Amino acid sequence: MKNFYITTPIYYVNDKPHIGHAYTNIISDVIARFQRFLHKDVFFSTGTDEHGLKIDKAAKEKNIVTQEFVDEVAKNFTSLTKDLNISNTSFIRTTDDNHKQFVQQVWNKMLEKGYIYKGNYSGWYSVRDEAYYKEEELIDGLAPSGSAVEWMEESSYFFQLSVFQDKLLSFYEKNPDFVKPASRYQEVLSFVKSGLDDLSISRTNFKWGINVPDDSKHVMYVWLDALFNYLSVLKDAKFWPADVHIIGKDILRFHAVYWPAFLMAIDEKLPIAIFAHGWWMNDGEKISKSLGNVVDPYEIMNKFGLDYFRYYLIREVTFGNDGNFSKNSFVDRINAELVNKVGNFIHRVSTLIYKNSIDPMHQSIDLTEDDQKLLDASKNSLSKITDHMEEYKLKEALGVVVELAEKGNAYIHNNAPWKLAKTDAKRMKTVLCIAANTIIDIGILLQPFVPDSAKKILDYFSIEDRSFQSIEDSNKISQDITLSKPSIIFSKIE
Ligand code: MSP
């Protein structure tokens, strides 16, 4: 059995979760579930990033002891993973003792190897981004992300990032798929080519972080602490290197530059790929607390249900691009595809089967070209989806299911089984059985994307074998099934 290790970023616990957190979780979950269907042994990790000045400040503003504050806020994120039906196999908190000790060991190793030295830092820092910026990177006195920066001067330990510039460049050159999509790869390349300064990796003017070993005046830079969660969380070394770190485009530099350099410094293997997705906006505007336009995932789930939310996030944007959340696009996307194409096909066929008391086990005979075309389209869908998923083209992968439902609808339209009921009962049976076969394939293929709805489809036909291989099988339905009156699985929304 092959291994597959996938991670989400670990989430800052300064506030409650928003659509961005839901998105990274759901996308990673789809990939993890898909890989399990390919029989991989999947380790899927997510968690919370709990140290640093941003979180310390958020706790102090609320007058709560920082540890108590993070314990409380972290609960929102553990609940979110459950409520989004995320199939993670671990949840790490960076305040866990294990993690802290792990990172201290890493520090000592870097120190031993001579990559850490003590000096003085003076420069710009953004608390919101927890990032250092060079003077020439600032735009009108702000960080490129638009966050405020403050001038900092303090005693600090440094990581010799500069010595890794050439090594990184030759690594990127040999591994053009390390950063996806390709436009992000170019971004990383030009950043590293522009020159790397050594990185300040400790702070002295606040305490909320992992102590630097043997120098407790210093706490570690939160990104050094956070990135190593990907290793500290592993109980079984067989999963390293990670197959993919799913991240948002705003945290690309940390993952594609600092992280590989840290790993090189301790002689660890580098992850295979980093996929940076885009950002969701709300009705064309950047989402921000100050604008008061934060999209609450619970509001959407309560109104439309989890699977509609998952479906929308996957289908609405090309994975890697920015997306624009709006109620209209949500309603349109769901009604046009999931309801009118997929749902309509399922409901039409299952109602006809039920009404005409068709035994879906009926052996289809004398197949026409049209029958064969639909059977083939069903079978071929799996390899099409797998090809897309290998390139992390989630929108396109799920699109294959929509196309299959469209083909199913056309097939039903062309063969008009309701007319055959009066003229050729035998042929009607064949048509409905072939259509039922496609519905079951749709149910099987939908499992990684909308697991609850897929289950309803497969439960309806009492399907036991729900593996991807079963798509090859033309006798999916068990001998003694009695179909009940079909209920609507994908109902229309307004
Ligand atoms: N703690 C760091 C990650 C450390 S990983 C070692 C962090 N946390 S975060 O909570 O601010 O962001 C988590 C993820 O949410 C990031 O991948 C970020 O890109 C994503 N999003 C935050 N806002 C977003 C949108 N509006 N849209 C899509 N994703 C966005 O960064």
Side-chain angles (χ1 to χ4, degrees):
M1 209 186 212
K2 276 195 182 160
N3 303 316
F4 190 87
Y5 179 23
I6 178 169
T7 66
T8 74
I10 49 171
Y11 306 113
Y12 285 132
V13 286
N14 57 324
D15 211 340
K16 59 179 194 202
H18 56 61
I19 190 172
H21 304 114
Y23 184 59
T24 347
N25 273 335
I26 288 173
I27 288 295
S28 307
D29 181 59
V30 170
I31 300 169
R33 286 177 188 267
F34 192 85
Q35 292 294 331
R36 288 191 194 105
F37 277 101
L38 298 182
H39 296 299
K40 303 253 182 83
D41 188 2
V42 174
F43 193 81
F44 172 18
S45 156
T46 184
T48 42
D49 187 354
E50 305 193 357
H51 292 127
L53 190 51
K54 172 154 80 174
I55 286 156
D56 200 30
K57 277 188 169 171
K60 294 210 158 80
E61 271 165 25
K62 293 211 155 69
N63 258 321
I64 306 176
V65 179
T66 312
Q67 183 65 55
E68 283 170 19
F69 175 74
V70 298
D71 286 345
E72 234 7 76
V73 185
K75 282 186 199 152
N76 295 336
F77 287 89
T78 45
S79 314
L80 185 74
T81 48
K82 288 199 188 78
D83 299 334
L84 294 174
N85 203 355
I86 302 301
S87 62
N88 56 304
T89 50
S90 73
F91 189 101
I92 183 169
R93 297 182 57 188
T94 54
T95 47
D96 290 346
D97 282 341
N98 265 350
H99 172 76
K100 290 195 226 170
Q101 283 158 14
F102 185 92
V103 181
Q104 285 175 329
Q105 283 163 14
V106 164
W107 180 285
N108 283 335
K109 194 156 181 195
M110 287 178 173
L111 193 69
E112 264 164 41
K113 298 212 152 217
Y115 292 124
I116 291 181
Y117 63 90
K118 202 170 183 178
N120 286 302
Y121 179 80
S122 60
W124 296 105
Y125 192 78
S126 153
V127 179
R128 199 170 92 184
D129 302 352
E130 296 283 15
Y132 301 92
Y133 291 106
K134 293 183 199 170
E135 179 79 41
E136 59 270 28
E137 284 183 283
L138 302 186
I139 303 165
D140 297 332
L142 296 175
S145 57
S147 309
V149 290
E150 54 194 52
W151 185 257
M152 260 187 25
E153 280 187 35
E154 58 181 339
S155 154
S156 175
Y157 285 93
F158 284 83
F159 172 73
Q160 278 192 323
L161 184 63
S162 56
V163 305
F164 290 94
Q165 179 166 351
D166 292 341
K167 276 196 191 168
L168 283 169
L169 287 172
S170 82
F171 173 77
Y172 301 141
E173 207 176 299
K174 283 190 210 116
N175 297 280
D177 287 331
F178 178 60
V179 179
K180 292 173 186 182
S183 55
R184 300 285 167 215
Y185 173 79
Q186 290 307 331
E187 198 180 307
V188 170
L189 218 58
S190 53
F191 174 72
V192 176
K193 278 184 182 157
S194 77
L196 294 177
D197 292 342
D198 289 348
L199 183 68
S200 164
I201 50 164
S202 77
R203 306 287 310 268
T204 52
N205 66 358
F206 67 96
K207 290 266 153 257
W208 185 244
I210 301 180
N211 287 334
V212 166
D214 306 318
D215 194 347
S216 57
K217 269 202 199 115
H218 290 253
V219 294
M220 290 183 206
Y221 175 38
V222 62
W223 270 100
L224 176 79
D225 161 354
L227 285 162
F228 275 99
N229 92 83
Y230 300 135
L231 271 176
S232 75
V233 73
L234 284 182
K235 306 233 164 21
D236 189 339
K238 74 174 184 185
F239 287 105
W240 193 255
D243 291 83
V244 64
H245 295 308
I246 302 293
I247 59 164
K249 63 179 182 180
D250 53 315
I251 53 175
L252 181 61
R253 184 183 297 182
F254 305 99
H255 283 82
V257 183
Y258 301 168
W259 180 225
F262 291 158
L263 290 168
M264 284 172 176
I266 59 163
D267 298 320
E268 268 297 349
K269 286 194 186 128
L270 307 196
I272 294 167
I274 287 161
F275 195 107
H277 63 71
W279 267 46
W280 282 91
M281 293 183 296
N282 185 359
D283 263 332
E285 276 188 335
K286 196 175 165 186
I287 294 175
S288 85
K289 246 199 293 180
S290 50
L291 285 174
N293 65 348
V294 176
V295 183
D296 177 357
Y298 283 98
E299 221 172 273
I300 310 170
M301 275 191 279
N302 293 340
K303 195 163 162 54
F304 299 118
L306 171 61
D307 274 358
Y308 280 8
F309 186 35
R310 291 175 64 109
Y311 185 92
Y312 172 79
L313 292 178
I314 302 161
R315 281 289 295 160
E316 187 65 12
V317 296
T318 300
F319 191 41
N321 292 358
D322 288 340
N324 186 25
F325 178 86
S326 75
K327 199 188 149 227
N328 286 347
S329 68
F330 193 105
V331 171
D332 289 351
R333 172 71 61 182
I334 296 300
N335 286 344
E337 296 182 355
L338 206 47
V339 177
N340 290 348
K341 289 179 179 158
V342 186
N344 180 36
F345 175 53
I346 296 172
H347 197 65
R348 238 166 135 192
V349 173
S350 41
T351 307
L352 282 166
I353 290 180
Y354 177 73
K355 270 195 186 154
N356 293 290
S357 313
I358 305 279
D359 166 12
M361 262 306 285
H362 166 82
Q363 289 299 318
S364 313
I365 37 163
D366 300 331
L367 296 187
T368 64
E369 208 177 299
D370 212 24
D371 299 342
Q372 198 56 52
K373 240 171 66 188
L374 188 63
L375 287 172
D376 291 346
S378 259
K379 280 190 185 155
N380 295 339
S381 295
L382 177 59
S383 67
K384 281 192 192 164
I385 294 182
T386 308
D387 289 350
H388 288 313
M389 288 300 286
E390 251 159 40
E391 294 179 54
Y392 300 112
K393 291 186 172 167
L394 275 69
K395 175 187 167 120
E396 290 79 355
L398 185 49
V400 172
V401 180
V402 183
E403 282 162 30
L404 184 57
E406 276 183 300
K407 287 179 187 152
N409 278 323
Y411 173 81
I412 289 297
H413 178 81
N414 293 341
N415 290 281
W418 53 92
K419 282 190 197 156
L420 292 170
K422 291 170 205 133
T423 55
D424 186 347
K426 210 165 117 200
R427 174 71 193 144
M428 173 188 67
K429 280 186 177 179
T430 303
V431 168
L432 290 177
C433 289
I434 285 180
N437 175 77
T438 296
I439 294 176
I440 293 159
D441 288 342
I442 287 176
I444 289 172
L445 295 169
L446 280 179
Q447 291 177 100
F449 302 96
V450 284
D452 291 342
S453 311
K455 182 173 180 301
K456 281 188 199 154
I457 300 171
L458 299 171
D459 283 351
Y460 179 74
F461 288 100
S462 307
I463 299 302
E464 273 169 25
D465 181 359
R466 299 178 179 197
S467 68
F468 279 174
Q469 290 86 308
S470 68
I471 289 184
E472 287 296 319
D473 183 359
S474 47
N475 289 319
K476 297 185 188 75
I477 306 170
S478 82
Q479 304 283 349
D480 43 22
I481 139 178
T482 341
L483 293 179
S484 53
K485 191 167 189 274
S487 56
I488 295 180
I489 293 177
F490 298 117
S491 48
K492 202 168 164 184
I493 53 170
E494 281 172 10

